[in-house]
């Protein structure tokens, strides 16, 4: 799965993407913790980061679709940098999410949006900023599945029904053929049901790049089933915001992801 992309001898895969591939080769699957800067209770954020560190999360994503102001994003990034050595990746809800403190940004196109702003417009506005800040862009195909939630509404998406895995796979493959190096299957933050296992399996078979799955994953079982179906990265956000015992909930999910990953590595060997 290692990607070596060289043009005129210059390596175009950055540090965070390399970290992701190396960790995948070692563990088989990864867990990313999503923090939404809309939530500004610093003590709660500290408790979540502490728990995520202890649980062994592999990286942090920072972003949200609504109620995000740049000052809160910067503050959260600073806190993360103080408390963790893990990569911090911007998961942009819009152009103003770009901050210079991040290690990388999922430079994503919402492939199944009806509005060209979310496919290439915001990207054109954001690209010079990403370059000026020197943040590593990781080109990503962002695909919204039903129900899709807030991000689907804001992003003017045509969410793909969960009983149509072939449509999701077609979008994912189109993303790969357009040069995107990661696929993200999104059910929407807080979704009642995560992306269907059959969708994950079909997309996994269709593409070679890592597949990230998020939205509505709340239990170790949810996470493990999706890793076994082929998810390379499991993202949880709401889980850490809702649970009373954040560490217990997170460590169960991270453990399940790693167990699923080990199984996949064994299968490959
Ligand atoms: C949302 O996929 C992420 O963009 C995470 O979703 O908040 O439901 O975990 P949850």
């Amino acid at each position: 799965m290692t990607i070596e992309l060289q043009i005129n001898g210059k390596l175009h895969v950055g540090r965070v993407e390399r970290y992701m591939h190396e960790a995948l080769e070692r563990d088989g699957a990864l867990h990313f913790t999503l923090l939404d800067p809309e939530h500004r209770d610093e003590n709660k954020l500290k408790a979540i980061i502490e728990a995520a560190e202890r649980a062994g999360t592999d990286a942090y994503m920072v972003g949200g679709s609504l109620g995000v102001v740049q000052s809160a994003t910067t503050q959260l990034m600073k806190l993360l940098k103080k408390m963790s050595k893990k990569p911090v990746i911007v998961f942009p809800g819009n152009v103003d999410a770009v901050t210079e403190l991040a290690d990388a940004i999922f430079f994503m196109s919402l492939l199944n949006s009806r509005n060209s702003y979310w496919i290439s417009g915001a990207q054109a506005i954001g690209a010079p900023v990403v370059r000026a800040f020197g943040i590593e862009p990781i080109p990503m195909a962002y695909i919204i599945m039903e129900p899709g939630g807030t991000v689907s509404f804001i992003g003017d998406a045509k969410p793909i029904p969960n009983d149509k895995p072939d449509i999701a796979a077609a979008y994912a493959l189109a993303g790969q053929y357009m040069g995107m190096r990661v696929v993200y299957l999104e059910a929407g933050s807080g979704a009642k049901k995560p992306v269907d296992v059959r969708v994950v399996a079909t997309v996994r078979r269709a593409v070679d790049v890592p597949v990230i799955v998020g939205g509505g994953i709340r239990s170790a079982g949810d996470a493990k089933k999706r890793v076994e179906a082929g998810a390379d990265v499991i993202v949880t956000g709401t889980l850490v915001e809702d649970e009373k015992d954040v560490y217990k909930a997170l460590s169960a999910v991270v453990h399940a992801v790693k167990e699923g990953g080990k199984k996949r590595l064994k299968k490959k060997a």
Side-chain angles (χ1 to χ4, degrees):
M1 202 182 281
T2 312
I3 291 186
E4 290 290 349
L5 193 64
Q6 289 201 13
I7 301 170
N8 293 334
K10 194 173 170 206
L11 191 64
H12 281 251
V13 172
R15 204 171 54 84
V16 176
E17 199 173 346
R18 183 171 285 274
Y19 163 88
M20 222 170 90
H21 282 279
E22 283 169 0
L24 274 175
E25 261 167 39
R26 186 193 63 223
D27 292 353
L30 310 180
H31 174 268
F32 288 1
T33 300
L34 172 66
L35 296 169
D36 190 334
E38 187 190 4
H39 304 285
R40 296 185 203 139
D41 177 344
E42 187 163 310
N43 285 334
K44 177 112 199 252
L45 286 169
K46 273 187 187 157
I48 292 172
I49 300 164
E50 240 165 49
E53 286 293 297
R54 267 175 67 208
T57 197
D58 294 289
Y60 294 90
M61 287 162 50
V62 172
S65 316
L66 258 190
V68 177
V69 292
Q70 210 171 29
S71 56
T73 306
T74 306
Q75 220 174 325
L76 176 53
M77 289 276 179
K78 279 187 185 156
L79 188 64
L80 273 167
K81 287 283 154 203
K82 211 158 73 186
M83 295 183 67
S84 173
K85 292 198 163 33
K86 301 273 165 67
V88 178
I89 307 166
V90 177
F91 184 50
N94 212 331
V95 176
D96 60 358
V98 186
T99 120
E100 57 195 324
L101 296 171
D103 298 301
I105 178 168
F106 279 137
F107 202 84
M108 59 204 211
S109 174
L110 205 180
L111 291 186
N112 57 325
S113 175
R114 298 172 164 103
N115 181 339
S116 65
Y117 177 78
W118 302 106
I119 303 171
S120 61
Q123 293 74 359
I125 301 168
V129 183
V130 170
R131 171 164 255 185
F133 284 168
I135 312 163
E136 172 187 338
I138 303 176
M140 179 164 94
Y142 192 48
I143 299 165
I144 299 192
M145 302 296 303
E146 280 185 343
T150 306
V151 69
S152 176
F153 184 87
I154 301 277
D156 208 353
K158 203 160 62 167
I160 300 170
N162 268 294
D163 62 354
K164 294 286 178 202
D166 290 346
I167 299 180
Y171 269 96
L173 188 58
Q176 177 175 318
Y177 285 171
M178 286 192 278
M180 292 153 187
R181 300 201 292 267
V182 190
V183 165
Y184 194 121
L185 297 174
E186 172 73 89
S189 187
K192 286 214 173 71
K193 270 174 105 184
V195 176
D196 195 86
V197 172
R198 265 194 330 137
V199 172
V200 177
T202 310
V203 169
R204 171 68 290 156
R205 281 195 300 272
V207 298
D208 308 297
V209 297
V211 176
I212 305 180
V213 178
I217 296 174
R218 292 225 176 70
S219 70
D222 284 348
K224 196 164 178 212
K225 274 186 219 151
R226 280 150 189 86
V227 170
E228 285 173 4
D232 296 291
V233 181
I234 293 291
V235 178
T236 60
T238 304
L239 174 77
V240 291
E241 283 154 17
D242 283 357
E243 284 288 334
K244 282 214 173 67
D245 191 340
V246 180
Y247 171 69
K248 198 172 155 206
L250 254 181
S251 64
V253 168
V254 175
H255 185 74
V257 168
K258 298 297 169 186
E259 283 297 304
K262 256 193 233 156
K263 244 186 170 176
R264 276 179 52 193
L265 285 178
K266 249 195 212 157
K267 241 194 205 168
K268 259 197 230 162

